[in-house]
Amino acid sequence: MDRVPILRIGDVLLVSIQVDLQDDIALALQDDLSQRIVDTGAKGVLIDISALEIVDSFVGRMISTTAAVSRVLDAETVVVGMQPAVAITLVELGLTLSGVRTALDVDRGLAILAGRESGVVAEADDDDQLDD
Amino acid sequence: MSEETYDWVRLLQENRDDVLARWTEIVRGSLAGRMSATESSHDLREVLDALLAGQGSTDVRSPSYDGLRSLLAELSRTRARQGFTPTETAVSVFALKEAVLGLLQASGDLRGYRAFADLSGLVDELGLFMVETYSATRETVIAEQAESLLELSTPVVKLWDGIVALPLVGTLDSARTQVVMEALLQALVDTGSEHAIIDITGVAAVDTQVAQHLLKTVQAARLLGAECIISGIRPQIAQTVVALGIEFGDIQTKANLSDAMLLALRRSGLDVVKSGRGRG
Amino acid sequence: MTSSTTEPTTYAVAADADVVRVRQAVRDLAVQAKFSLVDQTKLVTATSELARNTLVYGGGGEALVALLDKAGRPGIEIWFRDEGPGIPDLDLALTDGWTSGGGMGLGLSGAKRLVDEFEVDTAPDRGTRVRIVKWRR
């Protein structure tokens, strides 16, 4: 099974998803990331999804869970580069990734992690998934 | 030569050049110089050959007329796009009847009249086929125009580095709202802007569906990493929104565009101050 | 009014990689039918949700993909079929947030919002058949 590579830049882990994610690869990535956060003591995780043509509820959940797990491990997650069509579809699907930080591109994501920018963070709803 | 074997196919074959000349003349006359003689005679020769290829079948849908139908469909589509009327389009085939009739009158050939009756029915059906293709094409053209009009009416403007605005004017229906919202999100990505202002000063009314689209756009923008501010909410619209029970939640709203602009600037870490040199 | 359907292409849904294969096939067809990027994305996402349901809850099955034509307007029809346990309470399964495990409970209800036509035929121990259609705007 293929694995999504995780790069380390300073105290940030960078994941650039370049393949059409199948479920087992997404799950493996989630496991790998938490392990790497612990191993490296990383303070931030940047997930670049600019190459992803779709994000369905499974991958959406993987992203939300990863963000929550990293938070517990004292690392912040920023999701960058989502395509407009993907964002529109996710909202229609009922997924707003509440509590996950987002940024337009890798540069801005890194800036958020470096604490230079406030970034955009959706308010965490109680049910943590649905707004409608 | 027996009566039975003298059908319209033979009639046309034997008088091919004469028919073509008369036919071209009539079509040219009806199109009043909007089509050159060579162009129309070339088209008509092709149509005549395709018609003869059907070997006398009177069923327009028969496979032997495949070539004829595609020729006529192409001709109808071209005319529809060039702005000809349905009459000017269908006249190309209808004129064949007139041409053959003229020929029969000139020659006084009585056998030809029976053959003509068969041909006449077929030509009528071909004419209807052309009109059908014509209107289908017109509908496509209208749909294309409506679409380009939608795009025209959705200007996303850059107000400042990192701040874009979408001024909405007129009636917002569901389809249009969807198009403008897609345009806005794309503009955020293309310009790398983190702030968007959706100004609805010029919007006549907001119903539940439009409000839902606005909310979804704000949520989608957040997923991209950008924040939206909705400005220009007129008192009646504010009342409608409350009456409809639409939750704007944590979405930032401002009474007018300039307040929204100021907020967006501050969020970008900028501020507007008097220089002291002005006369104000 | 002319209405036609091409012969559907059948794809097996028996592993995670099959889900990816089905959605790529649907994407190709949506591009061929000149769907807008947003509509392509919506249809492919719905396909992904439903193919996963077939795999995870139905224990595997198949997806049938066909191109439709309604008076010159192209559409894409997809059937998902499995011989699994079926959905005991369909109304409940179509409620946002309901899940029997795995996802976020948005599979069926979410997919329904992304397409133009949505039908489910299911009963306990009879398997599940879901039909979706999306038309070009």
Side-chain angles (χ1 to χ4, degrees):
Chain A
M1 186 183 72
D2 295 331
R3 286 187 115 82
V4 180
I6 302 170
L7 306 176
R8 185 182 170 189
I9 307 169
D11 56 2
V12 172
L13 297 178
L14 173 66
V15 180
S16 185
I17 304 172
Q18 298 291 336
V19 291
D20 194 343
L21 265 193
Q22 70 184 51
D23 294 0
D24 46 1
I25 298 177
L27 285 178
L29 174 61
Q30 191 178 316
D31 290 345
D32 290 353
L33 257 179
S34 1
Q35 189 59 50
R36 285 293 293 275
I37 294 171
V38 174
D39 291 350
T40 61
K43 291 288 166 232
V45 176
L46 212 58
I47 306 179
D48 174 16
I49 58 165
S50 56
L52 273 192
E53 289 182 330
I54 68 157
V55 171
D56 59 13
S57 63
F58 192 88
V59 173
R61 184 177 62 117
M62 186 276 283
I63 292 172
S64 289
T65 310
T66 302
V69 169
S70 350
R71 214 172 297 130
V72 173
L73 297 173
D74 195 27
E76 176 140 40
T77 304
V78 183
V79 171
V80 304
M82 188 184 291
Q83 296 295 325
V86 172
I88 291 169
T89 304
L90 265 185
V91 170
E92 202 67 48
L93 199 57
L95 268 169
T96 50
L97 302 188
S98 306
V100 178
R101 280 190 174 227
T102 53
L104 288 169
D105 50 41
V106 173
D107 280 351
R108 286 182 170 88
L110 284 172
I112 290 172
L113 289 177
R116 290 196 294 270
E117 278 185 39
S118 60
V120 173
V121 59
E123 287 298 317
D125 294 324
D126 291 335
D127 61 5
D128 202 47
Q129 43 170 274
L130 291 172
D131 285 353
D132 55 352
Chain B
M1 181 183 303
S2 83
E3 289 268 320
E4 289 94 312
T5 57
Y6 194 78
D7 61 0
W8 59 262
V9 175
R10 248 182 90 186
L11 172 68
L12 292 180
Q13 270 164 349
E14 283 172 9
N15 303 284
R16 194 166 179 277
D17 292 341
D18 198 358
V19 168
L20 255 181
R22 287 171 186 269
W23 193 7
T24 311
E25 193 54 38
I26 298 165
V27 171
R28 263 184 67 206
S30 68
L31 295 183
R34 291 169 73 188
M35 184 120 329
S36 76
T38 45
E39 197 180 343
S40 47
S41 79
H42 174 77
D43 285 347
L44 297 180
R45 184 172 298 121
E46 277 188 330
V47 171
L48 186 62
D49 289 342
L51 182 65
L52 292 172
Q55 291 168 339
S57 166
T58 48
D59 178 13
V60 181
R61 304 275 156 203
S62 96
S64 53
Y65 284 132
D66 282 352
L68 178 63
R69 283 199 310 276
S70 74
L71 258 180
L72 292 181
E74 189 49 44
L75 203 62
S76 310
R77 278 195 283 269
T78 316
R79 297 268 161 95
R81 291 201 176 268
Q82 288 170 339
F84 285 82
T85 67
T87 311
E88 286 167 334
T89 304
V91 78
S92 295
V93 286
F94 285 136
L96 175 61
K97 291 210 288 191
E98 210 180 321
V100 174
L101 213 50
L103 175 87
L104 293 175
Q105 275 160 0
S107 68
D109 181 357
L110 285 176
R111 293 174 308 164
Y113 281 97
R114 178 175 291 175
F116 174 75
D118 288 338
L119 176 66
S120 174
L122 179 65
V123 167
D124 287 348
E125 284 195 43
L126 290 173
L128 287 177
F129 171 76
M130 284 189 85
V131 172
E132 261 176 45
T133 317
Y134 175 92
S135 39
T137 310
R138 290 301 291 176
E139 271 167 36
T140 317
V141 170
I142 291 166
E144 284 168 2
Q145 285 170 342
E147 200 170 308
S148 59
L149 214 59
L150 268 181
E151 280 161 17
L152 271 182
S153 58
T154 57
V156 180
V157 291
K158 179 178 168 180
L159 290 184
W160 201 267
D161 216 19
I163 306 173
V164 294
L166 175 69
L168 293 176
V169 178
T171 310
L172 278 185
D173 60 18
S174 195
R176 186 173 165 228
T177 315
Q178 221 161 324
V179 171
V180 296
M181 294 316 168
E182 285 174 31
L184 177 66
L185 295 174
Q186 194 59 53
L188 286 171
V189 171
D190 292 347
T191 62
S193 299
E194 290 178 327
H195 301 278
I197 300 171
I198 303 172
D199 186 77
I200 59 170
T201 311
V203 172
V206 169
D207 61 13
T208 322
Q209 251 196 335
V210 170
Q212 286 291 349
H213 279 303
L214 284 175
L215 291 178
K216 284 177 185 170
T217 307
V218 176
Q219 290 172 340
R222 279 185 182 154
L223 288 174
L224 302 181
E227 271 294 346
C228 295
I229 303 166
I230 299 178
S231 71
I233 303 181
R234 289 183 292 115
Q236 305 97 292
I237 290 185
Q239 288 186 16
T240 318
V241 166
V242 173
L244 288 172
I246 300 163
E247 280 286 341
F248 266 70
D250 55 347
I251 293 165
Q252 188 71 55
T253 53
K254 285 284 172 193
N256 55 54
L257 185 59
S258 63
D259 288 352
M261 170 82 179
L262 196 61
L263 177 65
L265 282 172
R266 289 200 173 129
R267 280 178 171 174
S268 321
L270 295 163
D271 210 344
V272 180
V273 291
K274 260 199 181 128
S275 71
R277 284 181 288 135
R279 280 172 297 175
Chain C
M1 291 284 131
T2 51
S3 177
S4 67
T5 311
T6 56
E7 267 304 298
T9 312
T10 307
Y11 299 89
V13 181
D16 284 343
D18 292 336
V19 175
V20 174
R21 203 165 299 130
V22 175
R23 63 190 190 212
Q24 277 167 354
V26 170
R27 166 80 69 177
D28 290 347
L29 206 58
V31 169
Q32 187 193 321
K34 297 199 172 71
F35 276 46
S36 74
L37 182 60
V38 172
D39 283 344
Q40 285 174 32
T41 310
K42 285 181 176 175
L43 180 62
V44 174
T45 306
T47 303
S48 186
E49 300 292 342
L50 297 171
R52 181 177 300 107
N53 279 355
T54 301
L55 178 67
V56 176
Y57 304 119
E62 56 187 16
L64 283 76
V65 185
L67 194 62
L68 307 183
D69 186 305
K70 191 166 74 183
R73 189 175 172 214
I76 293 174
E77 179 184 51
I78 310 164
W79 286 89
F80 298 90
R81 303 202 290 223
D82 67 59
E83 304 299 327
I87 305 168
D89 188 340
L90 188 60
D91 289 340
L92 184 65
L94 280 168
T95 312
D96 274 348
W98 182 88
T99 176
S100 64
M104 281 182 133
L106 294 165
L108 274 186
S109 59
K112 186 179 177 185
R113 278 197 294 271
L114 297 177
V115 295
D116 299 319
E117 293 172 32
F118 184 92
E119 288 160 30
V120 187
D121 176 18
T122 185
D125 301 321
R126 246 197 338 108
T128 303
R129 276 156 182 61
V130 182
R131 174 185 171 267
I132 57 171
V133 178
K134 194 162 185 72
W135 298 101
R136 194 174 76 192
R137 254 191 282 168

